[in-house]
């Protein structure tokens, strides 16, 4: 269960399907009432680019159409030239938003996944959980997407990395600094990380056990005011 | 070749004792020797780590057989690493490990304190009418749970117990769980409280005494300064800047300060009282947007500079959220005195003849809900006050400047919406309505609950079911705005001195003007000369 995006008139419940190779593209399903689920098409770059133009809350109706001409005339003009109508359906916006959230703030603890020599990513069955000390540090959590910063590290840092587990970007160097809030709850038995960039994304982990996961409950909007708020 | 048949040569040669190499059979001793050699090889100690392979294998197999994990062959390397790592733990250590107090133990101790029932006997004596009303947090939590809002049961119960502690400690009349605000390092749990009237007066009296003492000090200092000034000679010009008059905060018990708020970081920790809010703080809080860190004494670094620290900012946000989102079914409250509708109708009471509309109606039309908290005006107060009226009490020096002020600015009286306005009159932002109403379930309509979500303050919820209703806040404490937050620009540079004829540059007269002036002067002189001659 991935989470819930709240629209004005209704909420979307999202479920994600993962195969044995966790790095493969995921299939996503959405539902308005948790009974009838519909499959969402994978996100394309155009969808992502178009969805960035849209602001404001989700309406709660998947067939609602945003009129691009009102929002950004250039993009609309380009679309018209391409022979398509200058509208985006809310479904496409939903797909793009889920993909953005997963890419930007989908996190896992260090060591939970290993990369096999063949390139596929599997669960690490030997993962016993982070220790309490490690769990308080941002560097023990990774973004579960294609790494961006990994190659930029100095050789000295790279020597310390274990290529089977350290193949992802850690949270330490996220911009802006401080965009994650780490809290220990229940006297230190649960570590909760909340993202401040996408308000509503919550990640939990019970140290010294294999339990971890993240879920999104929110309005589906990026918090662009973050630099002012820190 | 296969098994040889009896008539073929080579039949029976593979049986022990019949092979052609019988005389060359390896000595059983030699076999033992080779086994010993292999074992000795395995026992060879590594010069680097002091381990040998034989013991390592033995340990590993022991561990595997004890634990019997699944798919051992896949994780055999990790098991090997673990066994080696285990070697590094010294078993014989003369130093005893300090008894580590786990943080979970400390937290459990604090929670245990909540469960202890102190002063059980005293409570029996006080069972008079003045028994403060402890809110039934679990019941409210149940209703909100129908909508998927709320904290988990353990935390709700801890909050329940810590509210009970709060009531025992402070002289409280009514109490309510207001909600939870998330912060970066720690969160805030907030209780809305009304103290007994005697307690509040004492506090205001203390504050008045303090302010009077301060004013006296200031007067004393001003006199001293005047004396000194006469002695000094050339002085830089005094600044004519007079800060705008400070708008006084509302009295405890009215308007924005109607309730007093207590906060704590976690249930079990002591409750801290938040200071009352001033209009300046509310006005500033509208312009900034900052995350709460979780520490009440943290400074707020922002522009425009916020007058106070995080405790004040928290109180200001609580005041704004309360004013914007505390609603009740229409008709539940009515004005105590109908004449007071226009003025500061703070007094409202429950309507005994209230009949709750059915849940379906509460969901469909927003006119069934009404605000019962006064909205905050632009000034930062609920009731408008004319700031220039206050200056009558000041000293004589100020009277002269008073006139100038009245001529310069005339602040318009601000009127807010009257007290019990329906929420259908709330403006939406762009095309987003201010409120979203839903029923908790469509499957069992007779027990469903009407839920109201605020879109202006994401995280504010209200529910109504028959005569029961309540409102709560779970969130980060910020208002929703469809546009991005733009910080206020710095004000323009102030003029150093007023411009007047003495310092403005005038245009030099042109040549013709000068000539005309000269001629006029000569004529005037000539006329005087004529007059003088005539007289003589």
């Amino acid at each position: 269960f991935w989470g819930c995006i709240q629209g004005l008139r209704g909420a979307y419940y999202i479920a994600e399907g993962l195969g044995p190779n966790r790095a493969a593209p995921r299939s996503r399903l959405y539902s308005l009432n948790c009974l009838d689920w519909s499959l969402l098409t994978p996100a394309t770059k155009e969808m992502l680019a178009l969805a960035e133009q849209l602001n404001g809350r989700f309406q709660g109706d998947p067939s609602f159409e945003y009129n691009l001409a009102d929002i950004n005339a250039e993009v609309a003009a380009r679309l018209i030239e391409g022979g398509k109508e200058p509208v985006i359906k809310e479904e496409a916006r939903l797909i793009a938003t889920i993909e953005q959230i997963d890419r930007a703030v989908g996190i896992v603890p260090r060591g939970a996944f290993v990369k096999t020599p063949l390139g596929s990513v599997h669960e690490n069955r030997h993962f016993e959980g982070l220790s309490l000390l490690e769990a308080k540090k941002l560097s023990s959590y990774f973004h579960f997407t294609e790494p961006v910063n990994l190659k930029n590290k100095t050789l000295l840092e790279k020597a310390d990395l274990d290529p089977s587990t350290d193949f992802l970007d850690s949270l330490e160097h996220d911009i802006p600094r401080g965009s994650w809030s780490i809290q220990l709850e229940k006297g230190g038995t649960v570590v909760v990380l909340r993202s401040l960039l996408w308000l509503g994304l919550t990640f939990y982990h019970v140290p010294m056990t294999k339990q971890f996961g993240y879920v999104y409950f929110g309005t589906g909007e990026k918090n662009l005011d973050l630099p002012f708020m820190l | 070749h296969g098994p040889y048949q009896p008539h073929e040569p080579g039949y029976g040669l593979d049986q022990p004792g019949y092979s052609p190499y019988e005389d060359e059979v390896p000595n059983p001793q030699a076999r033992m020797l080779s086994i010993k050699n292999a074992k000795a090889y395995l026992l060879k100690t590594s010069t680097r780590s002091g381990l040998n392979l034989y013991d390592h294998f033995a340990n590993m197999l022991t561990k595997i057989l004890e634990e019997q994990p699944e798919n051992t062959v896949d994780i055999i390397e990790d098991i090997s690493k673990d066994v080696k790592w285990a070697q590094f733990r010294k078993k014989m250590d003369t130093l005893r490990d300090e008894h580590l107090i786990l943080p979970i133990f400390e937290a459990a101790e604090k929670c245990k304190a909540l469960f202890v029932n102190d002063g059980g006997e005293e409570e029996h004596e006080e069972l008079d009418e003045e028994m403060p009303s402890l809110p039934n947090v679990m019941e409210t939590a149940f209703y909100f749970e129908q909508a998927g809002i709320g904290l988990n049961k353990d935390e709700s119960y801890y909050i329940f117990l810590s509210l009970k502690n709060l009531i025992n400690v402070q002289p409280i009349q009514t109490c309510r769980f207001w909600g939870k605000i998330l912060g970066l390092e720690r969160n805030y749990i907030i209780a809305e409280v009304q103290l007994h009237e005697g307690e509040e007066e004492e506090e205001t009296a203390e504050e008045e005494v303090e302010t009077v003492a301060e004013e006296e000090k200031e007067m004393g200092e001003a006199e001293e300064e005047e004396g000194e000034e006469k002695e000094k000679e050339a002085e830089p010009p005094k600044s004519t800047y007079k800060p705008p008059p400070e708008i006084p905060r509302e009295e405890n018990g009215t308007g924005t300060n109607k309730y007093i708020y207590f906060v704590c970081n976690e249930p079990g920790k002591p409750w801290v009282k938040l200071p009352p809010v001033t209009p300046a703080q509310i006005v500033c809080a509208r312009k900034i947007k900052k995350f709460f860190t979780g520490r009440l004494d943290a400074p707020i670094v922002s522009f425009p500079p916020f007058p106070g620290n995080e405790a004040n900012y928290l109180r200001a946000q609580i005041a704004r959220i309360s004013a914007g989102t505390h609603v009740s079914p229409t008709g539940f409250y009515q004005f105590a005195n109908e004449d007071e509708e226009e003025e500061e109708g703070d007094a409202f009471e429950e309507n005994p003849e209230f009949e709750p509309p059915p849940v379906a109606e509460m969901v469909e039309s927003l006119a069934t809900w009404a605000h019962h908290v006064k909205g905050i005006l632009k000034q930062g107060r609920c009731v408008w006050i004319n700031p220039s009226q206050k200056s009558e009490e000041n000293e004589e020096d100020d009277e002269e400047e008073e006139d100038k002020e009245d001529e310069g600015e005339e602040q318009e009286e601000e009127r807010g919406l009257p007290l019990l306005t329906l929420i259908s009159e709330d403006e939406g932002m762009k095309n987003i309505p201010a409120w979203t109403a839903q029923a908790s379930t469509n499957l069992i309509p007779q027990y469903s609950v009407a839920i109201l979500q605020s879109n202006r303050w994401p995280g504010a919820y209200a529910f109504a079911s028959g005569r029961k209703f309540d409102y709560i806040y779970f969130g980060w404490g910020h208002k929703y705005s469809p546009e991005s937050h733009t910080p206020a620009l710095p004000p323009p540079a102030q003029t150093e001195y007023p411009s007047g004829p003495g310092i403005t540059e005038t245009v030099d007269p042109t040549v013709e003007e000068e000539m005309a002036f000269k001629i006029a002067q000569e004529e005037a002189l000539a006329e005087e000369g004529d007059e003088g001659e005539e007289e003589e």
Side-chain angles (χ1 to χ4, degrees):
Chain A
F1 179 62
W2 183 88
C4 170
I5 293 187
Q6 277 154 356
L8 286 176
R9 288 191 280 275
Y12 296 107
Y13 297 92
I14 317 277
E16 221 174 35
L18 309 156
N21 179 9
R22 300 303 163 94
R26 309 171 176 182
S27 51
R28 297 185 174 112
L29 305 115
Y30 81 96
S31 156
L32 293 164
N33 54 6
C34 282
L35 287 175
D36 313 308
W37 296 86
S38 333
L39 186 62
L40 290 170
T41 54
T44 59
K45 279 194 189 162
E46 305 156 351
M47 263 198 259
L48 288 173
L50 287 177
E52 299 235 340
Q53 310 287 331
L54 297 171
N55 284 327
R57 300 277 304 266
F58 279 84
Q59 293 296 323
D61 173 21
S63 52
F64 181 82
E65 292 184 345
Y66 294 94
N67 197 350
L68 267 183
D70 292 336
I71 302 168
N72 191 341
E74 293 178 11
V75 177
R78 248 184 285 147
L79 272 183
I80 296 177
E81 287 168 24
K84 304 183 206 165
E85 290 180 13
V87 291
I88 307 183
K89 287 181 87 179
E90 178 140 306
E91 217 178 73
R93 186 180 174 202
L94 189 65
I95 299 170
T97 309
I98 301 175
E99 179 71 28
Q100 274 179 332
I101 293 180
D102 264 343
R103 259 193 222 170
V105 289
I107 56 178
V108 294
R110 178 173 182 271
F113 291 96
V114 280
K115 196 168 189 179
T116 62
L118 303 169
S120 59
V121 175
H122 291 272
E123 243 181 47
N124 182 2
R125 253 169 279 115
H126 198 65
F127 177 58
E128 292 290 331
L130 299 172
S131 69
L132 200 59
L133 209 58
E134 282 177 20
K136 287 190 219 169
K137 291 194 281 188
L138 269 184
S139 54
S140 2
Y141 301 97
F142 290 152
H143 288 279
F144 199 59
T145 54
E146 292 299 317
V148 170
N149 289 334
L150 209 56
K151 296 171 192 166
N152 296 343
K153 290 198 178 175
T154 64
L155 271 179
L156 210 60
E157 286 174 5
K158 276 199 217 171
D160 289 330
L161 301 177
D162 179 8
S164 62
T165 51
D166 293 318
F167 56 97
L168 300 163
D169 278 335
S170 101
L171 291 191
E172 250 184 334
H173 304 291
D174 264 5
I175 298 166
R177 249 215 165 150
S179 61
W180 289 93
S181 131
I182 299 191
Q183 285 173 6
L184 292 172
E185 301 235 347
K186 275 200 154 190
T189 43
V190 176
V191 169
V192 176
L193 267 85
R194 291 199 181 91
S195 164
L196 303 176
L197 188 58
W198 291 93
L199 284 176
L201 186 249
T202 319
F203 169 86
Y204 71 91
H205 173 54
V206 184
M208 304 315 286
T209 65
K210 287 184 83 163
Q211 297 168 7
F212 66 89
Y214 70 83
V215 76
Y216 181 83
F217 271 97
T219 60
E221 288 171 292
K222 199 166 181 176
N223 180 19
L224 292 167
D225 303 330
L226 183 59
F228 294 117
M229 294 165 85
L230 286 175
Chain B
H1 251 104
Y4 288 105
Q5 302 297 319
H7 63 274
E8 284 174 358
Y11 170 67
L13 281 177
D14 52 347
Q15 305 292 328
Y18 288 96
S19 90
Y21 303 110
E22 273 297 321
D23 49 347
E24 289 174 29
V25 147
N27 207 342
Q29 295 295 322
R31 197 174 259 182
M32 293 289 293
L33 190 62
S34 65
I35 289 177
K36 270 193 201 162
N37 281 343
K39 190 170 174 185
Y41 171 69
L42 289 177
L43 277 168
K44 200 158 54 164
T45 316
S46 153
T47 46
R48 269 197 306 175
S49 58
L51 303 168
N52 60 48
L53 200 51
Y54 189 80
D55 285 336
H56 184 64
F57 272 138
N59 289 338
M60 237 168 49
L61 288 171
T62 318
K63 181 172 169 160
I64 291 174
L65 288 171
E66 274 175 11
E67 293 179 5
Q68 306 219 339
E70 290 182 12
N71 287 337
T72 319
V73 67
D74 291 332
I75 47 176
I76 191 87
E77 291 88 3
D78 287 319
I79 294 180
S80 165
K81 257 201 235 170
D82 278 345
V83 171
K84 279 192 192 163
W85 188 71
Q87 291 288 326
F88 287 108
R89 285 195 213 132
K90 294 183 200 165
K91 288 163 200 165
M92 305 291 293
D93 210 351
T94 46
L95 291 172
R96 259 216 228 145
D97 275 334
E98 197 185 299
H99 179 59
L100 283 175
I101 302 178
L102 294 169
I104 183 175
F105 183 69
E106 290 178 4
E109 285 271 311
K110 282 188 198 144
C111 286
K112 187 174 159 193
L114 281 177
F115 284 91
V116 170
N117 197 359
D118 287 330
E121 293 183 10
E122 292 176 14
E123 283 183 21
H124 291 303
E125 295 173 9
E126 289 180 15
L127 277 175
D128 305 330
E129 314 101 28
E130 297 200 14
M131 188 66 179
S133 52
L134 179 66
N136 195 346
V137 172
M138 299 310 289
E139 192 181 349
T140 321
F142 164 74
Y143 281 112
F144 276 118
E145 202 183 322
Q146 306 288 306
I149 302 154
L151 310 167
N152 73 340
K153 288 241 171 59
D154 287 347
E155 200 166 343
S156 300
Y157 204 74
Y158 288 144
I159 292 175
F160 199 9
L161 289 173
S162 45
L163 280 179
K164 184 181 112 168
N165 272 355
L166 179 65
I167 286 184
N168 287 343
V169 167
Q170 303 268 353
I172 287 175
Q173 204 177 359
T174 59
C175 173
R176 207 181 71 83
F177 175 48
W178 186 90
K180 181 172 176 179
I181 288 192
L182 302 171
L184 294 181
E185 293 165 26
R186 276 176 291 197
N187 309 324
Y188 290 115
I189 296 179
I190 300 160
E192 186 182 71
V193 147
Q194 259 182 330
L195 295 180
H196 284 304
E197 296 187 6
E199 295 295 320
E200 289 178 30
E201 284 176 15
E202 280 182 26
E203 291 179 25
T204 46
E206 283 178 17
E207 289 179 21
E208 281 178 15
V209 165
E210 284 179 17
T211 46
V212 166
E214 282 179 21
E215 281 180 19
E216 287 178 0
K217 275 192 214 164
E218 283 178 19
M219 282 176 59
E221 285 176 12
E223 287 172 10
E224 288 176 13
E225 278 181 24
E226 285 176 20
E228 286 178 15
E229 280 172 23
K230 288 171 191 165
E231 293 175 0
K232 290 184 197 166
E233 295 177 356
E235 263 214 359
K238 270 202 215 159
S239 87
T240 50
Y241 170 68
K242 198 171 180 303
E246 195 186 305
I247 301 170
R249 68 173 175 85
E250 290 178 292
E251 292 295 313
N252 290 352
T254 62
T256 47
N257 283 323
K258 184 164 185 185
Y259 294 101
I260 299 197
Y261 292 91
F262 283 87
V263 296
C264 74
N265 283 124
E266 271 172 14
K269 294 213 174 142
W271 292 89
V272 177
K273 184 168 166 188
L274 285 182
V277 67
T278 64
Q281 286 168 357
I282 292 193
V283 167
C284 195
R286 281 184 171 140
K287 295 187 190 152
I288 62 175
K289 198 172 178 189
K290 282 267 174 192
F291 277 121
F292 294 99
T293 61
R295 291 167 287 130
L296 283 174
D297 50 358
I300 307 268
V301 180
S302 67
F303 182 78
F306 186 78
N309 56 12
E310 183 156 317
N312 303 96
Y313 183 49
L314 180 63
R315 180 66 181 83
Q317 291 292 92
I318 293 176
R320 289 172 70 201
I321 293 175
S322 300
T325 62
H326 281 185
V327 295
S328 56
T330 312
F332 189 84
Y333 287 119
Q334 67 179 12
F335 287 110
N337 199 352
E338 287 194 6
D339 298 335
E340 287 187 26
E341 262 188 50
E342 289 185 7
E343 296 181 8
E344 310 147 17
D346 258 2
F348 53 81
E349 58 181 22
E350 284 186 29
N351 182 355
E353 298 160 18
F354 170 64
E355 280 192 22
V359 168
E361 205 182 305
M362 301 219 71
V363 167
E364 274 190 33
S365 116
L366 289 177
T368 46
W369 298 84
H371 288 279
H372 63 258
V373 178
K374 267 210 157 179
I376 303 183
L377 306 169
K378 265 201 209 161
Q379 206 184 34
R381 294 169 50 108
C382 286
V383 174
W384 190 78
I385 194 172
N386 193 350
S388 45
Q389 280 177 7
K390 194 196 171 213
S391 45
E392 289 174 8
E393 304 170 357
N394 286 357
E395 305 169 18
E396 294 183 356
D397 293 334
D398 293 342
E399 276 185 15
E400 300 169 0
E401 302 173 73
E402 230 190 78
D403 298 337
K404 293 182 197 165
E405 266 189 350
D406 283 341
E407 290 170 1
E409 313 165 354
E410 269 195 29
Q411 294 189 359
E412 292 179 10
E413 186 178 335
E414 297 175 38
R415 309 218 78 216
L417 298 168
L419 188 53
L420 295 177
T421 42
L422 309 174
I423 66 173
S424 45
E425 320 234 340
D426 278 351
E427 299 169 1
M429 307 149 287
K430 280 194 190 176
N431 50 356
I432 304 172
W435 294 90
T436 306
Q438 279 176 339
S440 63
T441 165
N442 292 328
L443 300 171
I444 308 180
Q446 56 265 49
Y447 286 113
S448 73
V449 175
I451 308 280
L452 205 60
Q453 283 178 30
S454 167
N455 293 328
R456 268 210 240 145
W457 291 98
Y461 302 99
F463 82 88
S465 165
R467 289 199 78 97
K468 284 201 201 300
F469 71 96
D470 207 345
Y471 34 88
I472 211 163
Y473 183 83
F474 291 115
W476 293 93
H478 298 118
K479 194 169 188 174
Y480 175 75
S481 70
E483 296 98 19
S484 304
H485 166 76
T486 43
L489 292 173
Q494 293 170 332
T495 51
E496 291 176 37
Y497 37 79
S499 57
I503 45 173
T504 42
E505 213 177 296
T506 50
V507 181
D508 280 341
T510 60
V511 177
E512 292 105 0
E513 287 179 13
E514 279 191 10
M515 294 298 290
F517 187 67
K518 203 169 161 192
I519 294 170
Q521 259 192 343
E522 284 170 7
E523 284 178 7
L525 278 176
E527 279 182 17
E528 281 180 20
D530 291 339
E531 287 174 13
E533 287 174 6
E534 285 177 8
E535 284 179 8
E536 287 173 7

